[in-house]
Amino acid sequence: MLPTVLLYNFSEEKLSALKKLCLTHRLRARVVAPSLFGVALSQLLAVPPENSETDVKPAFSEEMLVFAGLAPGQLDAFLQGFRKAKLPQVPLKAILTPTNSTWNSIQLHNELTLEHNAMQAGKRAHSQS
């Protein structure tokens, strides 16, 4: 898999800066259109991308980043570049895992939002069994 960053809901200005940052760090930047929010993350990352638009209405408008296939150190370097470029924070970030690769963007967004809100409140997102 090519090292890729999925980009969601960014303004043109921030999107341009993110694409430049991705290029600098040898990452493929893929903008995810709202019409693709219902498609599994693994399908969004396919090369060439699978044409799988869904009828799902955009379920979120927050910015979100998903990192996939990065080599050791690439994520840290990207995040350092992000801070160095003084880009506004993106609270919803994830790394593709075997578990979340089958989720669609809406499912991932819901999980990240739950976790982010729990962390902000000083709580756990999930109870321990």
Side-chain angles (χ1 to χ4, degrees):
M1 170 188 311
L2 291 170
T4 303
V5 182
L6 298 178
L7 308 162
Y8 295 83
N9 299 323
F10 290 99
S11 67
E12 286 300 319
E13 182 180 337
K14 196 167 181 181
L15 186 60
S16 177
L18 283 168
K19 285 181 176 180
K20 182 178 176 183
L21 186 60
C22 285
L23 186 61
T24 301
H25 292 280
R26 298 177 186 232
L27 301 170
R28 177 179 58 161
R30 180 163 286 170
V31 177
V32 181
S35 61
L36 297 173
F37 284 9
V39 175
L41 297 173
S42 59
Q43 289 179 299
L44 294 175
L45 292 161
V47 181
E50 296 181 23
N51 189 7
S52 307
E53 291 193 13
T54 64
D55 292 332
V56 173
K57 292 189 168 106
F60 63 94
S61 59
E62 295 87 6
E63 298 173 340
M64 186 168 77
L65 295 169
V66 179
F67 301 92
L70 276 64
Q74 266 187 309
L75 178 60
D76 287 338
F78 178 87
L79 294 175
Q80 286 175 355
F82 193 92
R83 286 187 293 274
K84 188 175 181 181
K86 297 185 180 174
L87 293 169
Q89 282 190 347
V90 178
L92 303 181
K93 294 184 278 296
I95 295 175
L96 188 75
T97 67
T99 299
N100 68 22
S101 68
T102 61
W103 298 355
N104 65 37
S105 301
I106 296 165
Q107 291 169 304
L108 179 62
H109 172 268
N110 292 343
E111 181 66 19
L112 290 176
T113 299
L114 177 71
E115 291 174 0
H116 179 73
N117 291 341
M119 285 185 359
Q120 293 293 326
K123 300 178 180 177
R124 291 182 177 264
H126 304 284
S127 61
Q128 299 244 342
S129 302

